[in-house]
Amino acid sequence: MRNPPVSLDLETDVRQESARHLDQLSALESESIHIFREVTAERERCVLLFSGGKDSVVMLHLARKAFWPAPIPFPVLHVDTGHNFPEVLDFRDRTVERLGLRLEVAKVQDWIDDGRLSERPDGTRNPLQTAPLLDAIEQGRFDAVYGGGRRDEEKARAKERVVSLRDDFGQWDPRNQRPELWNLYNTRHRAGEHVRVFPLSNWTELDIWRYIARENIELPTLYYAHEREVFERDGMLLSVGEFAQPRDGETVVTKQVRYRTVGDMSCTGAVESDAFDVTAVLDEVAATRITERGATRADDRMTEAAMEDRKKEGYF
């Protein structure tokens, strides 16, 4: 029996078929843009959480692509702990002005000043963000809140859906998650509830940096190596400043560091680094065996389930 004839153009066909498949970054970008478009079409009042950190900067870049040439059809919201890095606040404000966005800011300090919140004994404010965030969502009557959470960051985020239902109190119940099949997202909710939406769920930290390199996206300077006065506490390098001072026995030294995340100064650590540009950061991230939050966030070290507990209360 003779073999069936083989097309002389088989090799060409394979190459063309391969070219039709998206590379990994393009596939992730396409998925995120699809999520932005689908959810925004379904919900009436959306808002994007924008802190000036790398994930929210990438989110903003994707949102611009999703609706281009029209402007982004929703405002951005930042929960300001009062302990933010000045470089990041400056970057946030310049970005908002450059893109003509409407910025809403919920300030933890306002809640402390009027007695609705109290300073924590350890001086950190990340856990205090939940109440101002939920209040801003209620006051803005937002029914879809875009966040930059990724599944590779932390185990509680790993099990949350792309579209996550929050109840009347803004709380998340991990036992009450909806099926999420392929690219079908269920944004329905009752009055008073809302959904959190995570278009970067399937990205990794390395994907984020590869995309930043590919798209030439600007970031706050503290993501790259620079000299800074730091002191070591619980295995992390904290910056010396108004909101973080060394205790007895903690020595201030000048080191060359950079930040992998840019949360509250009082609980976000730096890492020693020689990565002065995005190419060097890519090499560094590809080689590390510790997640960014595991390496630099004291608020995630409080308990084994610290993030999940905060998310149940309404955290990002």
Side-chain angles (χ1 to χ4, degrees), residues 49 77-79 81 126 129-130 133 145-149 157 160 166 196 198 297 307 310-311 314-316:
L49 299 175
L77 169 65
H78 182 212
V79 180
T81 67
N126 258 9
Q129 295 179 85
T130 301
L133 168 65
V145 181
Y146 292 108
R157 287 185 167 172
E160 192 166 19
R166 301 302 174 102
R196 305 283 176 90
F198 303 103
R297 297 299 288 267
M307 172 63 80
R310 294 204 302 275
K311 290 179 80 68
Y315 191 69
F316 305 108

Side-chain angles (χ1 to χ4, degrees), residues 5-264:
V6 177
S7 168
L8 296 177
D9 295 327
L10 178 59
E11 188 175 343
T12 302
D13 292 343
V14 170
R15 283 203 301 268
Q16 290 176 341
E17 181 64 23
S18 298
R20 281 195 286 271
H21 288 291
L22 297 175
D23 62 72
Q24 182 186 5
L25 279 186
S26 296
L28 289 169
E29 178 191 65
S30 178
E31 179 188 63
S32 299
I33 287 175
H34 171 73
I35 293 167
F36 270 118
R37 289 174 176 168
E38 286 294 301
V39 174
T40 303
E42 290 280 339
R43 304 314 323 164
E44 294 182 359
R45 295 180 68 84
C46 302
V47 68
L48 188 152
L49 299 175
F50 180 65
S51 64
K54 67 182 187 310
D55 297 317
S56 65
V57 173
V58 168
M59 287 269 289
L60 204 54
H61 186 82
L62 291 165
R64 292 182 70 201
K65 282 196 170 188
F67 303 107
W68 183 264
I72 295 175
F74 39 74
V76 296
L77 169 65
H78 182 212
V79 180
D80 185 347
T81 67
H83 289 178
N84 296 96
F85 291 91
E87 302 97 318
V88 179
L89 292 180
D90 176 66
F91 178 87
R92 178 200 70 182
D93 293 340
R94 286 191 292 105
T95 301
V96 166
E97 182 177 359
R98 176 171 57 85
L99 300 180
L101 301 173
R102 178 161 64 90
L103 170 66
E104 300 193 7
V105 180
K107 296 183 177 180
V108 171
Q109 188 63 54
D110 290 344
W111 285 62
I112 293 174
D113 290 344
D114 64 20
R116 286 177 290 173
L117 287 174
S118 301
E119 292 277 15
R120 292 169 49 86
D122 61 7
T124 64
R125 287 189 173 180
N126 258 9
L128 301 182
Q129 295 179 85
T130 301
L133 168 65
L134 295 178
D135 183 65
I137 292 172
E138 183 179 357
Q139 294 298 319
R141 297 184 290 111
F142 298 121
D143 56 5
V145 181
Y146 292 108
R150 309 187 321 266
R151 290 189 172 119
D152 76 319
E153 287 183 83
E154 200 276 339
K155 53 184 178 294
R157 287 185 167 172
K159 62 185 180 184
E160 192 166 19
R161 301 287 192 264
V162 171
V163 175
S164 178
L165 180 67
R166 301 302 174 102
D167 66 16
D168 308 61
F169 303 99
Q171 297 173 331
W172 175 59
D173 183 354
R175 299 165 301 180
N176 185 29
Q177 298 191 86
R178 295 162 166 171
E180 199 157 75
L181 303 176
W182 302 289
N183 60 353
L184 302 176
Y185 304 108
N186 185 350
T187 66
R188 287 176 294 178
H189 59 76
R190 296 176 301 183
E193 298 176 337
H194 69 276
V195 292
R196 305 283 176 90
V197 186
F198 303 103
L200 302 181
S201 285
N202 294 327
W203 296 54
T204 66
E205 182 186 14
L206 192 57
D207 293 328
I208 293 291
W209 277 104
R210 284 174 174 158
Y211 191 69
I212 288 167
R214 189 184 87 171
E215 301 288 307
N216 193 27
I217 298 173
E218 182 187 0
L219 291 180
T221 55
L222 77 176
Y223 275 109
Y224 302 104
H226 57 286
E227 287 196 343
R228 184 177 285 260
E229 284 192 332
V230 295
F231 59 92
E232 184 170 346
R233 179 177 298 164
D234 299 328
M236 294 196 311
L237 297 175
L238 297 180
S239 283
V240 178
E242 181 181 355
F243 312 116
Q245 288 292 322
R247 299 168 182 162
D248 291 343
E250 295 175 337
T251 304
V252 175
V253 294
T254 299
K255 287 182 177 288
Q256 187 169 284
V257 300
R258 75 174 193 88
Y259 284 85
R260 293 176 68 182
T261 65
V262 293
D264 187 302

